Amino acid sequence: MDTFVIEGGRRLFGRVRVNGSKNAALPLLAATLLTDDVITLRDVPDLADIRSMVGLLAELGMTRQDETPKGGVYTLKTTDPSACHARYEIVRTMRASISTLGPLVAKRGHARISLPGGCAIGERPVDLHLRGLRALGATITLNGGDIVAEAPAGGLVGATVFLGGAFGSTVLGTANVMCAAALARGTTIIESAACEPEIVDLATMLIAMGAKIRGHGSPRIIIDGVEELRGTDYSVMADRIEAGTLMMAAAITNGDLTLDNCPLDALLATTYFLDMAGVHVQPLANLAQSRQKVPALSVTSATSDPSRGDDPQRRSVRVTCDRVLRPVEVTTQPHPGFPTDLQAQLMALLCLADGNSIITERIFPDRFLHVAELSRMGANLMRTGSTVVISGVRQLKGAPVMASDLRASAGLVLAGMAAEGTTIVNRVYHLDRGYERLEDRLRSLGASIQRVDEKTLAPSELVSG
Ligand code: EPU
């Protein structure tokens, strides 16, 4: 298993492009099942979860059509519509496999998807997905650990569906119902729909395929079903969570980063709280207007696509911070609130604020496995239920720590870059699920971070798990 060895104390400085979004690309890939035509997706990040989804689509009869496969581009077409089974072996490595359920039952009339179990961040039921598909007429049973869904003889039928649950709406549940409704007869209204930008991205691609959808981005989405969807060529939105992570990486190292292809409009809550903490995110056009001096930046990656113009979802922004970080009180919420997927990274940052911060987790109340690991690095944290009080310390200290889930791992990497001495982050395969070659990109910005095989480390440097 790979680990990261990080020498803390280096400032990050330079320019980096934000990749395409994992959480947008996964349901977009699943939605390719909705048509018999060819679909090309661009700016797909090179991640373990994406490879799992593409592997699942291959099992479901989708074949890559790319003449010469190249980075970030997938051209897919259905060649065998008879396969409808997402096996446990794939689902257990990637929960987003559930987002093939809606497309399969709508297009092929039948789906068999292994029921995803719990994971490191909590229980994660799928009752809302099933409630939505049942409302459209699907018959759903559980058989041998698999969800088995059948559409009625004449196909799914539009309905009004309420997708609110105890913790708000559901992102992938909204994706499933929206995809299914796109091919249902009649009109579907999703009430309490997820408003996340990834849902807007999916709706935008479905519309390009011929779907009739309005209201996406609001809690009420209205879908008039159509008989068929066609192929399209679509670029995945930029990854707001990667962008937020890089902003916090700049802040925690007292650095100065420019992010290209930054989906600023999708990050308003994040930039608001960062600003309160003393971290400033400024669109570069604004910088030019205010005649501030932009330092000569080393370009470390491709620049943004000029054909997108001044798209607020693909801006260039500069991230700088005050010398002293201020404490803040933050609660994670569904979009447009502060995202749960940046909670661990923000906690790492607030460990170094001058005073007491409070983080409350409202989406996944147990998403706190990083708390004990940050404490090993000298953080002063007190958890009560779904709230953590963070009493800022002057300095974190390097230590061996254990990555437990994707975003917790990112928080530990950030903490390691700020800490005094060496931090060893074990089990970075969690990180590889959601960040493309993060260590290379951080190193090109000035971090001291190496990927090594844990077998090459002394036993004292590993945390047993
Ligand atoms: N929930 C239910 N019933 C359901 C579905 C969800 O009670 O049927 C609950 C969940 O347990 C949770 C809340 O509703 O408390 C929200 O869960 P949601 O369904 O929105 O999560 P998801 O769609 O499974 C996506 C992202 C997650 C992200 C969440 C919340 C993908 C592939 N995953 O998951 O991303 O945390 O939305 O924004 O899009 C990550 O990238 O690290 C990650 C975990």
Side-chain angles (χ1 to χ4, degrees):
M1 258 184 278
D2 286 352
T3 63
F4 280 176
V5 178
I6 305 169
E7 295 298 331
R10 311 272 177 95
R11 289 183 71 206
L12 293 192
F13 185 84
R15 188 163 200 144
V16 66
R17 180 179 186 272
V18 177
N19 286 315
S21 159
K22 165 182 88 81
N23 287 350
L26 289 169
L28 289 174
L29 281 163
T32 62
L33 289 162
L34 285 166
T35 177
D36 295 329
D37 291 352
V38 173
I39 296 218
T40 298
L41 280 175
R42 297 177 193 278
D43 219 2
V44 180
D46 183 18
L47 300 169
D49 274 12
I50 297 290
R51 288 188 287 275
S52 299
M53 179 60 92
V54 173
L56 172 58
L57 291 178
E59 289 200 7
L60 295 174
M62 307 284 301
T63 311
R64 273 190 87 166
Q65 307 280 302
D66 319 69
E67 274 172 24
T68 0
K70 60 175 185 227
V73 182
Y74 286 87
T75 299
L76 296 163
K77 181 171 175 10
T78 304
T79 47
D80 173 13
S82 65
C84 292
H85 189 187
R87 294 177 301 116
Y88 178 64
E89 288 66 31
I90 294 196
V91 176
R92 78 190 166 94
T93 62
M94 192 215 20
R95 297 182 49 87
S97 309
I98 190 75
S99 49
T100 57
L101 179 61
L104 281 177
V105 74
K107 178 71 179 157
R108 301 186 185 176
H110 173 81
R112 185 175 187 111
I113 316 279
S114 177
L115 182 66
C119 73
I121 66 176
E123 233 177 85
R124 305 191 72 181
V126 293
D127 55 310
L128 300 173
H129 301 235
L130 305 189
R131 185 204 288 174
L133 294 174
R134 279 196 178 108
L136 300 187
T139 305
I140 297 179
T141 49
L142 192 65
N143 190 339
D146 292 341
I147 301 163
V148 180
E150 303 281 348
L156 298 174
V157 183
T160 297
V161 179
F162 174 66
L163 280 190
F167 301 98
S169 188
T170 161
V171 179
L172 292 181
T174 301
N176 259 329
V177 177
M178 192 163 70
C179 283
L183 285 180
R185 270 182 296 128
T187 300
T188 297
I189 300 177
I190 307 179
E191 293 285 8
S192 197
C195 304
E196 268 65 9
E198 293 77 14
I199 292 297
V200 176
D201 212 36
L202 175 62
T204 309
M205 183 177 93
L206 292 175
I207 291 168
M209 292 166 69
K212 297 206 166 99
I213 301 176
R214 55 195 195 277
H216 41 293
S218 81
R220 169 185 265 212
I221 303 179
I222 302 169
I223 304 132
D224 295 317
V226 295
E227 281 205 357
E228 267 185 7
L229 293 171
R230 55 179 179 266
T232 191
D233 187 325
Y234 192 76
S235 291
V236 179
M237 67 172 282
D239 195 319
R240 64 191 170 107
I241 304 303
E242 185 185 87
T245 304
L246 290 166
M247 287 172 185
M248 293 179 206
I252 204 166
T253 63
N254 193 22
D256 184 341
L257 285 190
T258 295
L259 310 184
D260 291 318
N261 199 39
C262 179
L264 200 52
D265 270 15
L267 281 160
L268 292 183
T270 302
T271 53
Y272 172 78
F273 285 110
L274 284 178
D275 193 60
M276 297 227 307
V279 182
H280 309 296
V281 178
Q282 289 177 276
L284 276 184
N286 292 359
L287 274 182
Q289 276 160 17
S290 63
R291 291 168 191 273
Q292 289 191 27
K293 192 169 173 258
V294 183
L297 297 166
S298 58
V299 177
T300 56
S301 181
T303 52
S304 56
D305 177 2
S307 65
R308 305 291 298 217
D310 194 24
D311 181 344
Q313 293 297 0
R314 293 174 187 271
R315 298 291 285 270
S316 291
V317 301
R318 183 178 171 200
V319 188
T320 53
C321 62
D322 296 341
R323 191 166 284 276
V324 178
L325 289 170
R326 288 187 295 278
V328 289
E329 191 175 334
V330 179
T331 300
T332 64
Q333 285 171 333
H335 191 78
F338 186 87
T340 172
D341 291 344
L342 286 171
Q343 180 255 109
Q345 302 88 316
L346 183 68
M347 188 178 294
L349 181 66
L350 295 176
C351 286
L352 293 170
D354 186 20
N356 294 339
S357 300
I358 300 175
I359 291 185
T360 302
E361 175 58 66
R362 287 252 189 276
I363 310 294
F364 296 111
D366 287 322
R367 195 177 200 175
F368 284 126
L369 288 171
H370 43 286
V371 167
E373 304 302 306
L374 288 170
S375 301
R376 290 175 54 76
M377 300 179 70
N380 191 350
L381 306 171
M382 197 182 70
R383 177 182 170 191
T384 315
S386 57
T387 295
V388 176
V389 177
I390 305 140
S391 305
V393 294
R394 274 184 173 276
Q395 182 76 65
L396 292 170
K397 295 200 166 56
V401 287
M402 180 73 77
S404 51
D405 78 79
L406 166 55
R407 308 301 172 186
S409 315
L412 295 175
V413 169
L414 264 51
M417 288 195 299
E420 193 178 67
T422 308
T423 295
I424 295 171
V425 183
N426 293 293
R427 300 197 176 172
V428 294
Y429 63 86
H430 290 292
L431 196 85
D432 294 335
R433 288 187 33 231
Y435 294 92
E436 188 178 323
R437 291 183 293 280
L438 184 67
E439 74 281 18
D440 293 344
R441 302 170 81 214
L442 292 174
R443 202 169 40 245
S444 70
L445 297 167
S448 168
I449 173 166
Q450 306 295 334
R451 179 186 291 262
V452 298
D453 186 333
E454 72 170 28
K455 290 194 201 102
T456 62
L457 295 174
S460 62
E461 292 169 319
L462 300 167
V463 178
S464 64

